[in-house]
Structure formats: C-alpha cells, structure tokens
Amino acid sequence: MASPIRIAVAGARGHMGRAVIEALADEPGLVLAARFGRPGDERDGLVDRAAALAAADVVLDFTTGAASAALAQACAARGGPALVIGATGFEPPELAAVAEAARRIPIVRAGNFSLGLAMLLGLVAQAARALPAEAWDIEILEAHHRRKLDAPSGTALMLGEAAAAGRGVALAAVERRGRDGLAGPRPPGEIGFAVLRGGGIVGEHSVVFAAESETLTLSHAAHDRGMFARGALAAARWIVGRAPGAYDMQDVLGFMPIGQENG
Ligand SMILES: NC(=O)C1=CN([C@@H]2O[C@H](COP(=O)(O)OP(=O)(O)OC[C@H]3O[C@@H](n4cnc5c(N)ncnc54)[C@H](OP(=O)(O)O)[C@@H]3O)[C@@H](O)[C@H]2O)C=CC1
Ligand SMILES: O=C(O)C1=N[C@H](C(=O)O)C[C@H](O)C1
C-alpha cells in the first residue's frame, strides 16, 4: 500500500486552516503531519515552520500574500515540500518571489479552489471574447465577510484577468478599482471592480456584461469553507511528484488554460 501523503497546514489557527484540518479527516491517503502559524506561535500543538516543512510532502497555505511568499522561499531553499497556496492579497514583489520559488519546487496557487469558480473563469473569458468591448461594459462585483483583509478579492482579480484575456488586453491597462466622487463617464473597454464587506458572507462573485439594451450576469456563490478546503486537498494530491513549476486550478482540473478555451 502507498504511503499516505503528509500534509502540513500553514495558518492552521485561521478559518481556512481549520477547515482544511477538518476536511483532512475524511480524505483517505492524506494525513495531517504538522500545523503551524506565525513565527513563535506554539500554542495548541503548533510547531515551528522548519519542523513542519521537514515533516511534510505538501504544505497548504491560507495565510496572507506576504507570509505565503516567505513560505514559498523557505520551501524552495530546502528543495521542498511542494506548496499549495490559497492565500490572496499579493503585492507584485511577493508574486515575483513565488514565481522564483516555483523554479525549484512545484507550486499550485489559486485564489479560489472551487470547481464552479474554475468553470466560471472559462465562461467569462468566452463571453468577453464574444461581446464587443465598444458595446458591452464589464463590471466585477464581489462580497465577503467583514474579516477579509484584501480587496478586491483574489477571485475577483482572477475573473478580471479572465475577462481581459478574452478581450486580448492586459488587465492592468483597463482595470478600474472602484469609483468615488466625480468619476466621469465610463470609458469603453474598462473592467471595473466593486467590493462589499459585511457579516459572514463566505464569498460571492458576479461578472456583469452590460450593454445598452440588455445585461448578462455570470455569478458564483460559495456556501461553506469546506468546499474550498476539499479543492485545496485535491490540489495537494495532484501536486505530489510534479516537476517544479507554477500551476493553477485549471491545471489541477485538466481544464484548458484561460483564454485558450473553445469560444
Ligand atoms: N483560495 C481559496 O479558495 C480561498 C482563499 N482564502 C484566502 O485564504 C487566506 C486566509 O483566509 P482566512 O482563513 O479566512 O483568514 P484568517 O485570518 O482566519 O486566517 C489567516 C491565518 O494566517 C495566519 N497568519 C497571518 N499572518 C501570518 C504570518 N505572517 N505568518 C504565519 N501565519 C500568519 C493567521 O494567524 P493568527 O491566527 O495568529 O492571526 C491566521 O491563523 C486569505 O488570503 C483568503 O483570501 C480564503 C478562502 C478560500
Ligand atoms: O477571504 C476569503 O474568505 C476568501 N478569499 C478568496 C478570495 O480572495 O477570492 C476566495 C473566497 O472568495 C473566500
């Protein structure tokens, strides 16, 4: 019988860390090898990062962009373990650090581990490709719980990237992160973001394609964090034995890369 895949959980005391640990109990062939948190936090059986990395085949990370980038560098420096990153809120230098680490170890990074959301990315790219930018405005709306640190959400940014890929433009060239005051008329081709924070909303995303006489809305709602956790564990199974590289959920699920799906 094959040895179980040993999982270490970063951000183990957080909402997603706890959801992953709970989901692990129902996953044959996966075993919880270590839990860790902030440096120096050894409460409730947490171990330090070095001990966790030494004990694991795969680390699952749901912390922050900055902590995740540091973790990726630590994993790469010792040649493993593989890394599955669910954290969002990365600054560009942190993304560069993760990309550099992925030259030495396999890393799956996804701002959303839901199957439905992975489907939605392809649908958004197809719609953006088919609906002319001069007539169809794209706006991305997201809603999350009051604790969330980053905005727009990692998922909203992925949806923006998918829409931009469908239109054959760089998101950075067309994005509009919110409007306030005398914002002026909307230029054609812009991709707008709007953010709501409140209560315990798990995660809701809509991509609105608005034309003069009709509106198309593609949306997704997450109902519980266990679904994200199970998706992350599927990524952990998939990554074992992979070559070093930067992967996403489209790779894990065997979907076409965003922007290259049939359309
Ligand atoms: N990809 C996906 O499908 C999903 C991604 N997410 C993302 O996961 C991340 C975590 O979300 P959530 O669990 O709700 O957040 P929480 O705040 O509940 O948990 C974050 C955890 O990270 C720990 N942490 C923070 N900073 C550091 C650090 N510098 N070093 C080590 N650990 C640190 C916190 O420690 P402490 O407990 O001490 O504060 C906490 O335990 C977010 O970026 C979120 O957007 C969330 C859901 C799904
Ligand atoms: O912080 C959260 O909770 C979530 N974060 C992810 C994101 O930023 O997109 C995924 C999910 O929407 C929940």
Side-chain angles (χ1 to χ4, degrees), residues 121-138:
L121 291 171
L123 296 172
V124 166
Q126 286 186 47
R129 187 182 309 121
L131 302 174
E134 306 73 44
W136 293 82
D137 300 329
I138 301 180

Side-chain angles (χ1 to χ4, degrees), residues 55-76:
D57 301 306
V58 184
V59 183
L60 264 62
D61 172 87
F62 287 94
T63 57
T64 64
S68 187
L71 175 60
Q73 289 174 314
C75 291

Side-chain angles (χ1 to χ4, degrees), residues 10-18 36-39 41 43 61-67 85-89 110-114 145 147-150 154 225 228:
R13 293 161 61 82
H15 289 72
M16 276 307 302
R18 284 180 276 133
F36 64 111
R38 293 175 194 264
D41 186 354
R43 291 173 289 169
D61 172 87
F62 287 94
T63 57
T64 64
I85 298 177
T88 59
N112 197 305
F113 286 112
S114 134
H145 50 88
R147 295 179 297 98
K148 187 160 178 59
L149 300 178
D150 53 311
R225 290 186 178 80
F228 296 131

Side-chain angles (χ1 to χ4, degrees), residues 149-207:
L149 300 178
D150 53 311
S153 68
T155 306
L157 294 172
M158 289 161 62
L159 290 164
E161 294 283 2
R167 283 189 169 170
V169 297
L171 179 61
V174 295
E175 69 181 359
R176 179 76 169 256
R177 303 274 189 108
R179 297 182 184 87
D180 188 21
L182 199 59
R186 187 187 200 286
E190 194 167 80
I191 295 178
F193 291 87
V195 172
L196 181 155
R197 293 285 174 266
I201 300 169
V202 175
E204 298 175 2
H205 294 89
S206 295
V207 182

